[in-house]
Amino acid sequence: METSRTTRIVLMIYGIGIIAFLYLPLVSVAFASVSKARYLTFPIRRYSTGWFTDALASKEVHMLAMTSLKIAVIVTILSMIIGFFGALAFARYQWRYRSLFQKLVLLPIFFPQTVLGLALLMWFNSLGIIPSWKTAIVAHLVWIAPIATLIVAIRAYSFDPALEEAARDMGASTPVILREITLPLLMPGIVAAGLFSFLLSWGNFPLSLFTTGADSTLPEWLYAKMVSGYSPLVPTLGILSVIGSFVIIIAAFAGLALYRVLRPQK
Amino acid sequence: MKRLDSKLGALSSLPMLAVLALAFIAPLGLVAVFSIMPEKVFSIFNMPNFAAFKTMAEQGYYKSLLWSLFMAFAATTILFVICWPLAYGMAKVFKRFALVIIIAVVTSLFVSENIRLFGWVLTLMKGGLFEGYLRHWTGVGFESPLYNVGIIIFGIVYVYLPFMLFPLAQGISMVPEDARQAARDLGATRWQVLTQIDLPLAAPGIMVGYLLTFVLAAGAMAEAKILGGRAVIVIADDIQTAFTYGQNWSLGAALSMVLIVLIGTLAIYGIAKIDLDKIMGRG
């Protein structure tokens, strides 16, 4: 059905409106982060980058960022591994409990994270494990590894099993096939899953809140300051964290483009 | 080949299953056991009773549950209405522009939810981005719309928009163009195409969108705390208080169980109806 030009333009304007709606609060945070005043009001009268200098020099901020970073990096690596194998079970192999497995993988995504975080806190406590940034990794994994699995699975669905069968007919063993055929073919999905995992772990708050124990992540610190004891560092750290995420996305795209250019032609 | 496939499938599922068993199913089982323990104990080796459920009923905790469900329902319905036109555009009208929207929306997801909600506080508060500049330019201000039920629903709509948008767009893209064309040729009006072709055929996507947003919104807490300023206590907040300040694990577990059973039933029912191979693998 042909859509009229007017409809198309109206829909596009609507789309731009929705995007503006999604990003408007970040504009406010960005403005607030360069206000000189200790107690923020708009319009901003004096601009300053002082809070950025303060934030970057602060020992506490370094600690928070390091904790967030440690968790995110380990969650990313583990999610890529679990997601790779999970996606094979999800989309590639026909096995008896596949449909059950698919549904089980979805459940944690459809689950309130606050409740999951508290349940994990009780669970660690009962096992005699003291919560720290290490237990937060486990908590993040429950939610992020299924998402990584889904992302790799999208790639695995569009993959031709005949390639693996041909290799097997020529005498390749299962580990060799996985390493030489399956892994390279799924690599774009695995990289995307890794990117998602990192960013979702970096920004996660509800799971971290209950499972990091004495260690604290950036989103936790921001939340604590938002709810009580406002600090001018809140918008500044918020924006720094956003800039960090965007740098990672851009770096990932640049890395991917570079890989395409430099990849040895076969 | 069949036997090898089933062996490899089972083996590859193991890492994921290990995580789920140890960090999802076991903790939830523990919550279930704690919910029938006497109140204020921290070990499961006690005689089970249902004291926590009794407290829950007597002390009016159903109010926060009802608030959570009501706000989740309101937000989900609003989301459906505002996301449908855009999802339709993404699936049927835009070409390259659909990719721009997808990237813009996904990127926004990577910013911590709290920072985005806090941005709305800065935007809407008295002396915030809107009111501050309006008063500066015109001399007329307005009262802050923050700290009430409406703004919490607004926050939920804002945070969960992508979770409605993407399933809807996926659902609409599964409506065959031939069916819509045929209906138009046979003289159906736009409204008839929408209600008799688009909506029924996009039903799987609509259902996933509704389910995902409702389930996530019912367990949401940050919107009520950051934007709502505790105008309403939501169920997730009550659960957190019971576990932490209240030091009453049984009560927290009982409250969690009510939410888990409610949401779990909806989620399992919905997930069971979805043909994942069809949605993700396109046939």
Side-chain angles (χ1 to χ4, degrees), chain A residues 14 18 21, chain B residues 72-85 153-154 156-165 168 209-210 213-214 217:
Chain A
Y14 185 68
I18 298 265
F21 170 66
Chain B
F73 178 73
T76 308
T77 307
I78 296 169
L79 272 172
F80 176 67
V81 175
I82 63 175
C83 287
W84 181 269
I153 297 175
F154 172 87
I156 299 175
V157 166
Y158 172 74
V159 166
Y160 296 109
L161 190 134
F163 299 93
M164 181 62 96
L165 182 65
L168 277 191
Y210 251 97
T213 14
F214 185 83

PDB file of all heavy atoms in Angstrom, chain A residues 14 18 21, chain B residues 72-85 153-154 156-165 168 209-210 213-214 217:
ATOM      1  N   TYR A  14       6.997  13.000  13.776  1.00  0.00           N
ATOM      2  CA  TYR A  14       6.595  12.344  15.023  1.00  0.00           C
ATOM      3  C   TYR A  14       7.776  11.557  15.605  1.00  0.00           C
ATOM      4  O   TYR A  14       8.067  11.628  16.803  1.00  0.00           O
ATOM      5  CB  TYR A  14       5.406  11.411  14.729  1.00  0.00           C
ATOM      6  CG  TYR A  14       4.815  10.760  15.947  1.00  0.00           C
ATOM      7  CD1 TYR A  14       4.132  11.505  16.894  1.00  0.00           C
ATOM      8  CD2 TYR A  14       4.939   9.384  16.139  1.00  0.00           C
ATOM      9  CE1 TYR A  14       3.589  10.893  18.010  1.00  0.00           C
ATOM     10  CE2 TYR A  14       4.400   8.769  17.252  1.00  0.00           C
ATOM     11  CZ  TYR A  14       3.721   9.530  18.185  1.00  0.00           C
ATOM     12  OH  TYR A  14       3.190   8.927  19.290  1.00  0.00           O
ATOM     13  N   ILE A  18       9.709  11.969  19.199  1.00  0.00           N
ATOM     14  CA  ILE A  18       9.923  10.931  20.218  1.00  0.00           C
ATOM     15  C   ILE A  18      11.402  10.866  20.610  1.00  0.00           C
ATOM     16  O   ILE A  18      11.743  10.758  21.795  1.00  0.00           O
ATOM     17  CB  ILE A  18       9.455   9.552  19.698  1.00  0.00           C
ATOM     18  CG1 ILE A  18       7.960   9.557  19.396  1.00  0.00           C
ATOM     19  CG2 ILE A  18       9.823   8.446  20.681  1.00  0.00           C
ATOM     20  CD1 ILE A  18       7.054   9.062  20.474  1.00  0.00           C
ATOM     21  N   PHE A  21      12.156  13.662  22.819  1.00  0.00           N
ATOM     22  CA  PHE A  21      11.598  13.352  24.138  1.00  0.00           C
ATOM     23  C   PHE A  21      12.557  12.449  24.913  1.00  0.00           C
ATOM     24  O   PHE A  21      12.801  12.653  26.111  1.00  0.00           O
ATOM     25  CB  PHE A  21      10.235  12.687  23.916  1.00  0.00           C
ATOM     26  CG  PHE A  21       9.599  12.078  25.140  1.00  0.00           C
ATOM     27  CD1 PHE A  21       9.184  12.863  26.202  1.00  0.00           C
ATOM     28  CD2 PHE A  21       9.382  10.705  25.197  1.00  0.00           C
ATOM     29  CE1 PHE A  21       8.577  12.289  27.316  1.00  0.00           C
ATOM     30  CE2 PHE A  21       8.773  10.122  26.305  1.00  0.00           C
ATOM     31  CZ  PHE A  21       8.381  10.919  27.374  1.00  0.00           C
TER      32      PHE A  21
ATOM     33  N   ALA B  72       1.299   0.716  36.252  1.00  0.00           N
ATOM     34  CA  ALA B  72       1.866  -0.077  35.155  1.00  0.00           C
ATOM     35  C   ALA B  72       0.843  -0.202  34.035  1.00  0.00           C
ATOM     36  O   ALA B  72       1.169  -0.057  32.855  1.00  0.00           O
ATOM     37  CB  ALA B  72       2.278  -1.458  35.654  1.00  0.00           C
ATOM     38  N   PHE B  73      -0.418  -0.423  34.413  1.00  0.00           N
ATOM     39  CA  PHE B  73      -1.462  -0.584  33.411  1.00  0.00           C
ATOM     40  C   PHE B  73      -1.678   0.721  32.639  1.00  0.00           C
ATOM     41  O   PHE B  73      -1.728   0.741  31.403  1.00  0.00           O
ATOM     42  CB  PHE B  73      -2.765  -1.021  34.092  1.00  0.00           C
ATOM     43  CG  PHE B  73      -3.911  -1.159  33.146  1.00  0.00           C
ATOM     44  CD1 PHE B  73      -3.963  -2.240  32.265  1.00  0.00           C
ATOM     45  CD2 PHE B  73      -4.923  -0.216  33.109  1.00  0.00           C
ATOM     46  CE1 PHE B  73      -5.013  -2.358  31.368  1.00  0.00           C
ATOM     47  CE2 PHE B  73      -5.971  -0.332  32.206  1.00  0.00           C
ATOM     48  CZ  PHE B  73      -6.020  -1.405  31.338  1.00  0.00           C
ATOM     49  N   ALA B  74      -1.765   1.833  33.365  1.00  0.00           N
ATOM     50  CA  ALA B  74      -1.969   3.132  32.709  1.00  0.00           C
ATOM     51  C   ALA B  74      -0.809   3.426  31.762  1.00  0.00           C
ATOM     52  O   ALA B  74      -1.017   3.798  30.601  1.00  0.00           O
ATOM     53  CB  ALA B  74      -2.097   4.232  33.766  1.00  0.00           C
ATOM     54  N   ALA B  75       0.423   3.225  32.247  1.00  0.00           N
ATOM     55  CA  ALA B  75       1.596   3.536  31.431  1.00  0.00           C
ATOM     56  C   ALA B  75       1.639   2.651  30.184  1.00  0.00           C
ATOM     57  O   ALA B  75       1.949   3.116  29.086  1.00  0.00           O
ATOM     58  CB  ALA B  75       2.871   3.358  32.254  1.00  0.00           C
ATOM     59  N   THR B  76       1.291   1.375  30.357  1.00  0.00           N
ATOM     60  CA  THR B  76       1.353   0.445  29.234  1.00  0.00           C
ATOM     61  C   THR B  76       0.366   0.855  28.138  1.00  0.00           C
ATOM     62  O   THR B  76       0.687   0.842  26.953  1.00  0.00           O
ATOM     63  CB  THR B  76       1.032  -0.979  29.717  1.00  0.00           C
ATOM     64  OG1 THR B  76       1.873  -1.263  30.822  1.00  0.00           O
ATOM     65  CG2 THR B  76       1.285  -1.994  28.649  1.00  0.00           C
ATOM     66  N   THR B  77      -0.838   1.262  28.561  1.00  0.00           N
ATOM     67  CA  THR B  77      -1.849   1.658  27.584  1.00  0.00           C
ATOM     68  C   THR B  77      -1.432   2.938  26.855  1.00  0.00           C
ATOM     69  O   THR B  77      -1.536   3.027  25.629  1.00  0.00           O
ATOM     70  CB  THR B  77      -3.202   1.849  28.295  1.00  0.00           C
ATOM     71  OG1 THR B  77      -3.470   0.661  29.036  1.00  0.00           O
ATOM     72  CG2 THR B  77      -4.320   2.096  27.309  1.00  0.00           C
ATOM     73  N   ILE B  78      -0.920   3.912  27.616  1.00  0.00           N
ATOM     74  CA  ILE B  78      -0.439   5.145  26.983  1.00  0.00           C
ATOM     75  C   ILE B  78       0.669   4.815  25.988  1.00  0.00           C
ATOM     76  O   ILE B  78       0.696   5.314  24.868  1.00  0.00           O
ATOM     77  CB  ILE B  78       0.074   6.143  28.056  1.00  0.00           C
ATOM     78  CG1 ILE B  78      -1.071   6.570  28.958  1.00  0.00           C
ATOM     79  CG2 ILE B  78       0.725   7.347  27.393  1.00  0.00           C
ATOM     80  CD1 ILE B  78      -0.627   7.343  30.191  1.00  0.00           C
ATOM     81  N   LEU B  79       1.582   3.929  26.407  1.00  0.00           N
ATOM     82  CA  LEU B  79       2.706   3.569  25.540  1.00  0.00           C
ATOM     83  C   LEU B  79       2.229   2.948  24.240  1.00  0.00           C
ATOM     84  O   LEU B  79       2.764   3.233  23.170  1.00  0.00           O
ATOM     85  CB  LEU B  79       3.627   2.590  26.268  1.00  0.00           C
ATOM     86  CG  LEU B  79       4.704   3.249  27.104  1.00  0.00           C
ATOM     87  CD1 LEU B  79       5.433   2.214  27.927  1.00  0.00           C
ATOM     88  CD2 LEU B  79       5.684   3.989  26.208  1.00  0.00           C
ATOM     89  N   PHE B  80       1.219   2.088  24.348  1.00  0.00           N
ATOM     90  CA  PHE B  80       0.715   1.447  23.133  1.00  0.00           C
ATOM     91  C   PHE B  80       0.236   2.508  22.153  1.00  0.00           C
ATOM     92  O   PHE B  80       0.582   2.486  20.974  1.00  0.00           O
ATOM     93  CB  PHE B  80      -0.418   0.476  23.483  1.00  0.00           C
ATOM     94  CG  PHE B  80      -1.051  -0.143  22.274  1.00  0.00           C
ATOM     95  CD1 PHE B  80      -0.329  -1.027  21.488  1.00  0.00           C
ATOM     96  CD2 PHE B  80      -2.347   0.166  21.924  1.00  0.00           C
ATOM     97  CE1 PHE B  80      -0.906  -1.596  20.360  1.00  0.00           C
ATOM     98  CE2 PHE B  80      -2.926  -0.396  20.800  1.00  0.00           C
ATOM     99  CZ  PHE B  80      -2.204  -1.283  20.017  1.00  0.00           C
ATOM    100  N   VAL B  81      -0.528   3.484  22.664  1.00  0.00           N
ATOM    101  CA  VAL B  81      -1.092   4.513  21.786  1.00  0.00           C
ATOM    102  C   VAL B  81       0.012   5.378  21.176  1.00  0.00           C
ATOM    103  O   VAL B  81      -0.004   5.650  19.975  1.00  0.00           O
ATOM    104  CB  VAL B  81      -2.103   5.383  22.572  1.00  0.00           C
ATOM    105  CG1 VAL B  81      -2.603   6.535  21.712  1.00  0.00           C
ATOM    106  CG2 VAL B  81      -3.263   4.523  23.049  1.00  0.00           C
ATOM    107  N   ILE B  82       1.006   5.785  21.991  1.00  0.00           N
ATOM    108  CA  ILE B  82       2.014   6.680  21.400  1.00  0.00           C
ATOM    109  C   ILE B  82       3.044   5.924  20.554  1.00  0.00           C
ATOM    110  O   ILE B  82       3.632   6.497  19.665  1.00  0.00           O
ATOM    111  CB  ILE B  82       2.718   7.593  22.434  1.00  0.00           C
ATOM    112  CG1 ILE B  82       3.492   6.799  23.455  1.00  0.00           C
ATOM    113  CG2 ILE B  82       1.753   8.520  23.112  1.00  0.00           C
ATOM    114  CD1 ILE B  82       4.277   7.704  24.394  1.00  0.00           C
ATOM    115  N   CYS B  83       3.244   4.638  20.814  1.00  0.00           N
ATOM    116  CA  CYS B  83       4.256   3.907  20.049  1.00  0.00           C
ATOM    117  C   CYS B  83       3.736   3.373  18.719  1.00  0.00           C
ATOM    118  O   CYS B  83       4.506   3.158  17.798  1.00  0.00           O
ATOM    119  CB  CYS B  83       4.815   2.737  20.861  1.00  0.00           C
ATOM    120  SG  CYS B  83       5.905   3.275  22.168  1.00  0.00           S
ATOM    121  N   TRP B  84       2.428   3.127  18.637  1.00  0.00           N
ATOM    122  CA  TRP B  84       1.892   2.503  17.430  1.00  0.00           C
ATOM    123  C   TRP B  84       2.236   3.271  16.146  1.00  0.00           C
ATOM    124  O   TRP B  84       2.782   2.664  15.209  1.00  0.00           O
ATOM    125  CB  TRP B  84       0.377   2.288  17.562  1.00  0.00           C
ATOM    126  CG  TRP B  84      -0.196   1.628  16.354  1.00  0.00           C
ATOM    127  CD1 TRP B  84      -0.699   2.241  15.248  1.00  0.00           C
ATOM    128  CD2 TRP B  84      -0.282   0.216  16.100  1.00  0.00           C
ATOM    129  NE1 TRP B  84      -1.102   1.319  14.330  1.00  0.00           N
ATOM    130  CE2 TRP B  84      -0.861   0.062  14.818  1.00  0.00           C
ATOM    131  CE3 TRP B  84       0.073  -0.921  16.830  1.00  0.00           C
ATOM    132  CZ2 TRP B  84      -1.092  -1.188  14.258  1.00  0.00           C
ATOM    133  CZ3 TRP B  84      -0.163  -2.165  16.265  1.00  0.00           C
ATOM    134  CH2 TRP B  84      -0.735  -2.294  14.987  1.00  0.00           C
ATOM    135  N   PRO B  85       1.963   4.592  16.075  1.00  0.00           N
ATOM    136  CA  PRO B  85       2.259   5.282  14.811  1.00  0.00           C
ATOM    137  C   PRO B  85       3.737   5.186  14.428  1.00  0.00           C
ATOM    138  O   PRO B  85       4.068   4.951  13.269  1.00  0.00           O
ATOM    139  CB  PRO B  85       1.875   6.743  15.087  1.00  0.00           C
ATOM    140  CG  PRO B  85       1.022   6.711  16.288  1.00  0.00           C
ATOM    141  CD  PRO B  85       1.413   5.512  17.082  1.00  0.00           C
ATOM    142  N   ILE B 153       3.682   7.995  36.430  1.00  0.00           N
ATOM    143  CA  ILE B 153       3.247   7.301  35.205  1.00  0.00           C
ATOM    144  C   ILE B 153       4.036   7.839  34.009  1.00  0.00           C
ATOM    145  O   ILE B 153       4.509   7.086  33.165  1.00  0.00           O
ATOM    146  CB  ILE B 153       1.725   7.472  34.998  1.00  0.00           C
ATOM    147  CG1 ILE B 153       0.983   6.812  36.161  1.00  0.00           C
ATOM    148  CG2 ILE B 153       1.276   6.874  33.672  1.00  0.00           C
ATOM    149  CD1 ILE B 153      -0.510   6.998  36.152  1.00  0.00           C
ATOM    150  N   PHE B 154       4.210   9.153  33.971  1.00  0.00           N
ATOM    151  CA  PHE B 154       5.010   9.772  32.916  1.00  0.00           C
ATOM    152  C   PHE B 154       6.421   9.162  32.894  1.00  0.00           C
ATOM    153  O   PHE B 154       6.945   8.799  31.841  1.00  0.00           O
ATOM    154  CB  PHE B 154       5.084  11.287  33.171  1.00  0.00           C
ATOM    155  CG  PHE B 154       6.030  12.031  32.279  1.00  0.00           C
ATOM    156  CD1 PHE B 154       5.614  12.509  31.048  1.00  0.00           C
ATOM    157  CD2 PHE B 154       7.344  12.256  32.686  1.00  0.00           C
ATOM    158  CE1 PHE B 154       6.492  13.192  30.226  1.00  0.00           C
ATOM    159  CE2 PHE B 154       8.222  12.938  31.868  1.00  0.00           C
ATOM    160  CZ  PHE B 154       7.794  13.403  30.627  1.00  0.00           C
ATOM    161  N   ILE B 156       7.397   6.249  33.991  1.00  0.00           N
ATOM    162  CA  ILE B 156       7.362   4.853  33.536  1.00  0.00           C
ATOM    163  C   ILE B 156       7.218   4.810  32.013  1.00  0.00           C
ATOM    164  O   ILE B 156       7.902   4.047  31.332  1.00  0.00           O
ATOM    165  CB  ILE B 156       6.201   4.088  34.225  1.00  0.00           C
ATOM    166  CG1 ILE B 156       6.405   4.083  35.743  1.00  0.00           C
ATOM    167  CG2 ILE B 156       6.107   2.665  33.705  1.00  0.00           C
ATOM    168  CD1 ILE B 156       5.266   3.472  36.527  1.00  0.00           C
ATOM    169  N   VAL B 157       6.335   5.678  31.486  1.00  0.00           N
ATOM    170  CA  VAL B 157       6.168   5.759  30.031  1.00  0.00           C
ATOM    171  C   VAL B 157       7.513   6.082  29.390  1.00  0.00           C
ATOM    172  O   VAL B 157       7.924   5.457  28.416  1.00  0.00           O
ATOM    173  CB  VAL B 157       5.126   6.851  29.657  1.00  0.00           C
ATOM    174  CG1 VAL B 157       5.184   7.194  28.178  1.00  0.00           C
ATOM    175  CG2 VAL B 157       3.729   6.388  30.033  1.00  0.00           C
ATOM    176  N   TYR B 158       8.208   7.040  29.967  1.00  0.00           N
ATOM    177  CA  TYR B 158       9.491   7.467  29.408  1.00  0.00           C
ATOM    178  C   TYR B 158      10.513   6.330  29.412  1.00  0.00           C
ATOM    179  O   TYR B 158      11.133   6.034  28.393  1.00  0.00           O
ATOM    180  CB  TYR B 158      10.020   8.663  30.214  1.00  0.00           C
ATOM    181  CG  TYR B 158      11.410   9.051  29.828  1.00  0.00           C
ATOM    182  CD1 TYR B 158      11.649   9.699  28.634  1.00  0.00           C
ATOM    183  CD2 TYR B 158      12.496   8.724  30.635  1.00  0.00           C
ATOM    184  CE1 TYR B 158      12.931  10.020  28.246  1.00  0.00           C
ATOM    185  CE2 TYR B 158      13.773   9.038  30.259  1.00  0.00           C
ATOM    186  CZ  TYR B 158      13.989   9.691  29.064  1.00  0.00           C
ATOM    187  OH  TYR B 158      15.259   9.987  28.681  1.00  0.00           O
ATOM    188  N   VAL B 159      10.672   5.682  30.574  1.00  0.00           N
ATOM    189  CA  VAL B 159      11.737   4.674  30.708  1.00  0.00           C
ATOM    190  C   VAL B 159      11.459   3.438  29.861  1.00  0.00           C
ATOM    191  O   VAL B 159      12.376   2.860  29.272  1.00  0.00           O
ATOM    192  CB  VAL B 159      11.922   4.298  32.193  1.00  0.00           C
ATOM    193  CG1 VAL B 159      12.751   3.040  32.331  1.00  0.00           C
ATOM    194  CG2 VAL B 159      12.578   5.440  32.939  1.00  0.00           C
ATOM    195  N   TYR B 160      10.194   3.020  29.772  1.00  0.00           N
ATOM    196  CA  TYR B 160       9.916   1.745  29.105  1.00  0.00           C
ATOM    197  C   TYR B 160       9.473   1.877  27.653  1.00  0.00           C
ATOM    198  O   TYR B 160       9.061   0.892  27.050  1.00  0.00           O
ATOM    199  CB  TYR B 160       8.925   0.931  29.946  1.00  0.00           C
ATOM    200  CG  TYR B 160       9.536   0.584  31.278  1.00  0.00           C
ATOM    201  CD1 TYR B 160       9.105   1.178  32.454  1.00  0.00           C
ATOM    202  CD2 TYR B 160      10.610  -0.293  31.341  1.00  0.00           C
ATOM    203  CE1 TYR B 160       9.713   0.902  33.659  1.00  0.00           C
ATOM    204  CE2 TYR B 160      11.219  -0.580  32.547  1.00  0.00           C
ATOM    205  CZ  TYR B 160      10.768   0.022  33.702  1.00  0.00           C
ATOM    206  OH  TYR B 160      11.384  -0.264  34.888  1.00  0.00           O
ATOM    207  N   LEU B 161       9.560   3.092  27.103  1.00  0.00           N
ATOM    208  CA  LEU B 161       9.153   3.287  25.712  1.00  0.00           C
ATOM    209  C   LEU B 161       9.806   2.299  24.723  1.00  0.00           C
ATOM    210  O   LEU B 161       9.112   1.702  23.913  1.00  0.00           O
ATOM    211  CB  LEU B 161       9.427   4.736  25.293  1.00  0.00           C
ATOM    212  CG  LEU B 161       8.856   5.167  23.950  1.00  0.00           C
ATOM    213  CD1 LEU B 161       8.174   6.522  24.066  1.00  0.00           C
ATOM    214  CD2 LEU B 161       9.885   5.211  22.854  1.00  0.00           C
ATOM    215  N   PRO B 162      11.131   2.072  24.811  1.00  0.00           N
ATOM    216  CA  PRO B 162      11.734   1.147  23.839  1.00  0.00           C
ATOM    217  C   PRO B 162      11.172  -0.272  23.931  1.00  0.00           C
ATOM    218  O   PRO B 162      11.090  -0.966  22.936  1.00  0.00           O
ATOM    219  CB  PRO B 162      13.217   1.150  24.222  1.00  0.00           C
ATOM    220  CG  PRO B 162      13.421   2.403  24.988  1.00  0.00           C
ATOM    221  CD  PRO B 162      12.133   2.674  25.694  1.00  0.00           C
ATOM    222  N   PHE B 163      10.750  -0.666  25.141  1.00  0.00           N
ATOM    223  CA  PHE B 163      10.282  -2.038  25.332  1.00  0.00           C
ATOM    224  C   PHE B 163       8.908  -2.243  24.697  1.00  0.00           C
ATOM    225  O   PHE B 163       8.473  -3.373  24.501  1.00  0.00           O
ATOM    226  CB  PHE B 163      10.239  -2.385  26.819  1.00  0.00           C
ATOM    227  CG  PHE B 163      11.595  -2.290  27.461  1.00  0.00           C
ATOM    228  CD1 PHE B 163      12.003  -1.126  28.075  1.00  0.00           C
ATOM    229  CD2 PHE B 163      12.468  -3.365  27.413  1.00  0.00           C
ATOM    230  CE1 PHE B 163      13.259  -1.026  28.642  1.00  0.00           C
ATOM    231  CE2 PHE B 163      13.720  -3.274  27.983  1.00  0.00           C
ATOM    232  CZ  PHE B 163      14.118  -2.100  28.591  1.00  0.00           C
ATOM    233  N   MET B 164       8.187  -1.165  24.430  1.00  0.00           N
ATOM    234  CA  MET B 164       6.935  -1.258  23.687  1.00  0.00           C
ATOM    235  C   MET B 164       7.206  -1.057  22.200  1.00  0.00           C
ATOM    236  O   MET B 164       6.682  -1.789  21.366  1.00  0.00           O
ATOM    237  CB  MET B 164       5.948  -0.192  24.191  1.00  0.00           C
ATOM    238  CG  MET B 164       4.598  -0.210  23.518  1.00  0.00           C
ATOM    239  SD  MET B 164       3.695  -1.740  23.769  1.00  0.00           S
ATOM    240  CE  MET B 164       2.660  -1.297  25.155  1.00  0.00           C
ATOM    241  N   LEU B 165       8.058  -0.089  21.891  1.00  0.00           N
ATOM    242  CA  LEU B 165       8.274   0.293  20.488  1.00  0.00           C
ATOM    243  C   LEU B 165       8.806  -0.868  19.639  1.00  0.00           C
ATOM    244  O   LEU B 165       8.261  -1.162  18.578  1.00  0.00           O
ATOM    245  CB  LEU B 165       9.242   1.480  20.440  1.00  0.00           C
ATOM    246  CG  LEU B 165       9.531   2.027  19.050  1.00  0.00           C
ATOM    247  CD1 LEU B 165       8.273   2.620  18.438  1.00  0.00           C
ATOM    248  CD2 LEU B 165      10.626   3.082  19.101  1.00  0.00           C
ATOM    249  N   LEU B 168       6.405  -3.863  18.991  1.00  0.00           N
ATOM    250  CA  LEU B 168       5.325  -3.422  18.106  1.00  0.00           C
ATOM    251  C   LEU B 168       5.822  -3.355  16.665  1.00  0.00           C
ATOM    252  O   LEU B 168       5.157  -3.847  15.752  1.00  0.00           O
ATOM    253  CB  LEU B 168       4.815  -2.031  18.512  1.00  0.00           C
ATOM    254  CG  LEU B 168       3.793  -1.934  19.637  1.00  0.00           C
ATOM    255  CD1 LEU B 168       3.223  -0.517  19.700  1.00  0.00           C
ATOM    256  CD2 LEU B 168       2.671  -2.930  19.450  1.00  0.00           C
ATOM    257  N   GLY B 209       4.994  -6.661  23.556  1.00  0.00           N
ATOM    258  CA  GLY B 209       5.179  -5.289  24.017  1.00  0.00           C
ATOM    259  C   GLY B 209       4.409  -5.008  25.298  1.00  0.00           C
ATOM    260  O   GLY B 209       4.955  -4.473  26.268  1.00  0.00           O
ATOM    261  N   TYR B 210       3.139  -5.401  25.309  1.00  0.00           N
ATOM    262  CA  TYR B 210       2.294  -5.192  26.481  1.00  0.00           C
ATOM    263  C   TYR B 210       2.869  -5.906  27.699  1.00  0.00           C
ATOM    264  O   TYR B 210       2.985  -5.359  28.781  1.00  0.00           O
ATOM    265  CB  TYR B 210       0.882  -5.729  26.212  1.00  0.00           C
ATOM    266  CG  TYR B 210      -0.140  -4.637  26.064  1.00  0.00           C
ATOM    267  CD1 TYR B 210      -0.524  -4.193  24.815  1.00  0.00           C
ATOM    268  CD2 TYR B 210      -0.713  -4.044  27.184  1.00  0.00           C
ATOM    269  CE1 TYR B 210      -1.453  -3.181  24.668  1.00  0.00           C
ATOM    270  CE2 TYR B 210      -1.647  -3.031  27.043  1.00  0.00           C
ATOM    271  CZ  TYR B 210      -2.015  -2.603  25.794  1.00  0.00           C
ATOM    272  OH  TYR B 210      -2.924  -1.600  25.664  1.00  0.00           O
ATOM    273  N   THR B 213       6.394  -4.438  28.918  1.00  0.00           N
ATOM    274  CA  THR B 213       6.266  -3.143  29.605  1.00  0.00           C
ATOM    275  C   THR B 213       5.508  -3.296  30.922  1.00  0.00           C
ATOM    276  O   THR B 213       5.912  -2.737  31.925  1.00  0.00           O
ATOM    277  CB  THR B 213       5.520  -2.091  28.757  1.00  0.00           C
ATOM    278  OG1 THR B 213       4.872  -2.735  27.689  1.00  0.00           O
ATOM    279  CG2 THR B 213       6.445  -1.073  28.206  1.00  0.00           C
ATOM    280  N   PHE B 214       4.432  -4.076  30.893  1.00  0.00           N
ATOM    281  CA  PHE B 214       3.640  -4.192  32.117  1.00  0.00           C
ATOM    282  C   PHE B 214       4.451  -4.843  33.232  1.00  0.00           C
ATOM    283  O   PHE B 214       4.496  -4.352  34.365  1.00  0.00           O
ATOM    284  CB  PHE B 214       2.356  -5.006  31.857  1.00  0.00           C
ATOM    285  CG  PHE B 214       1.462  -5.059  33.056  1.00  0.00           C
ATOM    286  CD1 PHE B 214       0.590  -4.028  33.321  1.00  0.00           C
ATOM    287  CD2 PHE B 214       1.522  -6.124  33.943  1.00  0.00           C
ATOM    288  CE1 PHE B 214      -0.219  -4.048  34.437  1.00  0.00           C
ATOM    289  CE2 PHE B 214       0.711  -6.154  35.068  1.00  0.00           C
ATOM    290  CZ  PHE B 214      -0.155  -5.116  35.317  1.00  0.00           C
ATOM    291  N   ALA B 217       7.214  -2.514  34.412  1.00  0.00           N
ATOM    292  CA  ALA B 217       6.673  -1.331  35.098  1.00  0.00           C
ATOM    293  C   ALA B 217       6.115  -1.697  36.477  1.00  0.00           C
ATOM    294  O   ALA B 217       6.242  -0.935  37.426  1.00  0.00           O
ATOM    295  CB  ALA B 217       5.595  -0.664  34.244  1.00  0.00           C
TER     296      ALA B 217
END
